[in-house]
Amino acid sequence: MTPDQWPTAFTGRIAQRLRDSRKAAGLTMAEVAQGCADRGLPEFTEHSMKNLESGRKTSISVAEVVVLADVLGVPPVTLLFPLGSSATVEVLPGREVSTWDAVAWFTGESPLAEPTPEGSARDVLDLFRQHGDLVAAAMSSYALARERRRAASTTLDRARRATLLQRAEGYEEHAFEDAQELRAYRKRMCQRGLIPPPLPDELAFVAEPDMATDVEESE
């Protein structure tokens, strides 16, 4: 494919993914257009959708891709690259790579075999992914602890109650350690000039100052 053909072909691939996603969602072109209007993009009409799917519309904006992805209930990146339906893709003019490598490059996960330079775009993405993993771990530990204590409060079997409470204490210890690690990680992010994401309500206390520690440090 020549460089001047690539943009049109790229848009055509997006159009195919849009068509497949629209049909899978059971939506008409008119419904997709209404969804775009509801999301603040009224200029993408039913006529626009028809032109895109038929190949008459040979370009598409980033804003259109993002809104259409939301309307269709799919991640935007899946509209850009045919993951699962094509082994390779021409990610750039004259550059054919595996479709997964194209997705990984687009999301900042590639090249994984090489060290991530500190301060690079991929390094920042990795930091935020790790933050998400720590949040998920803490949420899971607290949920398991609550569930064991709830189960203990509804059983009349003394031995089972003792076992459940013991397990709850174990999960609570894990949750405490997870919360400590999450707080320390968020502090390191701030020290690097990054703003950590908001925490779920259940973990909001992690972002709050520890009053006991603050008193000790002031003394």
Side-chain angles (χ1 to χ4, degrees):
M1 186 184 304
T2 61
D4 60 326
Q5 294 173 323
W6 180 82
T8 300
F10 190 89
T11 302
R13 187 170 67 238
I14 294 175
Q16 179 62 52
R17 302 288 286 181
L18 282 169
R19 184 187 301 110
D20 294 343
S21 298
R22 179 178 64 78
K23 291 181 177 180
L27 296 175
T28 65
M29 293 184 186
E31 288 170 334
V32 171
Q34 184 59 53
C36 289
D38 293 343
R39 289 161 175 78
L41 196 69
E43 58 269 31
F44 193 90
T45 63
E46 180 180 359
H47 188 62
S48 303
M49 193 68 182
K50 288 179 180 177
N51 283 340
L52 188 60
E53 289 195 8
S54 67
R56 290 191 296 271
K57 179 175 166 61
T58 59
S59 65
I60 186 169
S61 69
V62 174
E64 289 170 341
V65 169
V66 172
V67 171
L68 284 165
D70 189 58
V71 172
L72 298 171
V74 298
V77 70
T78 63
L79 297 178
L80 302 178
F81 303 110
L83 188 63
S85 61
S86 179
T88 63
V89 64
E90 191 171 357
V91 66
L92 292 170
R95 184 178 174 186
E96 189 92 8
V97 300
S98 80
T99 306
W100 172 244
D101 284 344
V103 172
W105 166 74
F106 189 84
T107 57
E109 299 174 73
S110 178
L112 293 178
E114 300 176 10
T116 305
E118 185 171 329
S120 66
R122 186 183 135 200
D123 178 46
V124 173
L125 287 168
D126 287 345
L127 286 170
F128 277 83
R129 289 191 182 97
Q130 179 63 23
H131 180 275
D133 290 342
L134 292 174
V135 169
M139 291 284 288
S140 177
S141 296
Y142 278 108
L144 288 167
R146 286 194 301 271
E147 173 57 27
R148 296 304 183 275
R149 287 204 175 274
R150 185 202 64 77
S153 69
T154 58
T155 182
L156 296 178
D157 184 317
R158 189 177 297 275
R160 174 170 168 74
R161 180 175 183 276
T163 298
L164 288 168
L165 288 175
Q166 184 178 23
R167 290 177 180 173
E169 290 177 1
Y171 284 123
E172 285 168 350
E173 183 61 29
H174 282 303
F176 174 75
E177 293 173 357
D178 289 342
Q180 280 191 317
E181 185 177 2
L182 178 58
R183 174 177 287 184
Y185 192 85
R186 289 172 67 86
K187 183 177 180 180
R188 290 196 296 273
M189 290 179 75
C190 291
Q191 290 170 342
R192 289 190 53 175
L194 302 172
I195 300 176
L199 291 168
D201 291 343
E202 299 92 322
L203 295 177
F205 68 92
V206 172
E208 297 171 356
D210 190 320
M211 299 305 295
T213 301
D214 290 346
V215 171
E216 291 174 2
E217 291 179 349
S218 65
E219 293 176 351

